[in-house]
Amino acid sequence: MASEFVVTPPTAVSIPVAGQRARFPVRRVYCVGRNYEDHAKEMGFTGREPPFFFLKPADALVVVGEGETGTMPYPTLTKNLHHEIELVACIGTGGKNIQAADAMKHIYGYAVGLDMTRRDLQGEMKKQGRPWEIGKAFDQSAPIGPIVPAAAAGDIVNADISLTVNGTDRQHSNLAKLIWNMAETIEQMSTAWELQPGDLIFTGTPEGVAAVVQGDTLVGTVAGLPTLTVKIV
Ligand code: MN
């Protein structure tokens, strides 16, 4: 007998996998804060601190297929919507208390993502010591491109990462500059949560975060992965 629900159940969120028909189902969206030294500095911090984490809801993802231009509506309440280009690690095998030496085996693949941020609201919450959700976890706050299986993604830990807005360079760095690399991040994160297949980890953004406005086109790249193109509407 089919299950019955008292209201319409939410649709499961999934992401296309490059070169495959089967899709990657999303469970949780974890994000790492201030994980590049020059970005930590531009946010007013020293650049050296233990990793910390926040989450976005899975249905905040804006899933953009290969070769497509995704659209993200300019969100309510903000006058300072910032871009944060990030590499996203997609967990294929779960676990808790994962050791860094074993951690990379838990990654199914990688995608390019944007941790879009209502910076004015996040700043106000920081000042008041309140949760960041209103600045970070709003609807359609996390555009993401197709996933490439790890074996096909090349030398991702040394890949260039960049973002242009309307063709102008905004962010440009290299994954080797992560303060906490992906293995260390998974080690730390899995002490706090049991990771599960379908979890995404937005690994942090390099320096150069800045505002976008309606009509802007963002093009995010990580070498070896499909480009993520998003228009703010
Ligand atoms: Mn971020």
Side-chain angles (χ1 to χ4, degrees), residues 31-34 39 54 84 86 115 117 136 202-205:
C31 303
V32 187
R34 299 194 287 262
H39 172 61
F54 58 92
E84 296 192 358
E86 308 199 4
D115 167 16
T117 302
K136 284 290 195 180
F202 279 63
T203 56
T205 196

Side-chain angles (χ1 to χ4, degrees), residues 37 40 45-50 179-180:
E37 190 170 353
F45 296 85
T46 63
R48 277 286 162 199
E49 62 185 329
I179 295 172
W180 300 95

Side-chain angles (χ1 to χ4, degrees), residues 197-218:
D199 289 343
L200 305 182
I201 303 171
F202 279 63
T203 56
T205 196
E207 68 278 12
V209 300
V212 291
V213 296
Q214 268 180 347
D216 283 350
T217 299
L218 290 64

Side-chain angles (χ1 to χ4, degrees), residues 62-65 68-74 81 83 85 112-114 116 140-145 163-166 212-213 215-220 227-233:
V62 176
V63 178
V64 183
E68 294 175 0
T69 297
T71 55
M72 175 188 172
Y74 195 92
L81 175 66
H83 54 73
I85 187 69
V112 179
L114 280 162
M116 299 301 290
Q140 292 161 299
S141 60
I144 188 166
L163 181 81
T164 64
V165 177
N166 304 327
V212 291
V213 296
D216 283 350
T217 299
L218 290 64
V219 178
T227 296
L228 172 62
T229 303
V230 176
K231 185 169 181 172
I232 309 296
V233 297

Side-chain angles (χ1 to χ4, degrees), residues 6 14-15 51 59 62 66 91-92 95 106 139 162 192 198 213:
V6 296
S14 66
I15 301 171
D59 68 357
V62 176
E66 189 157 7
I91 296 296
H106 290 259
D139 294 343
S162 69
V213 296

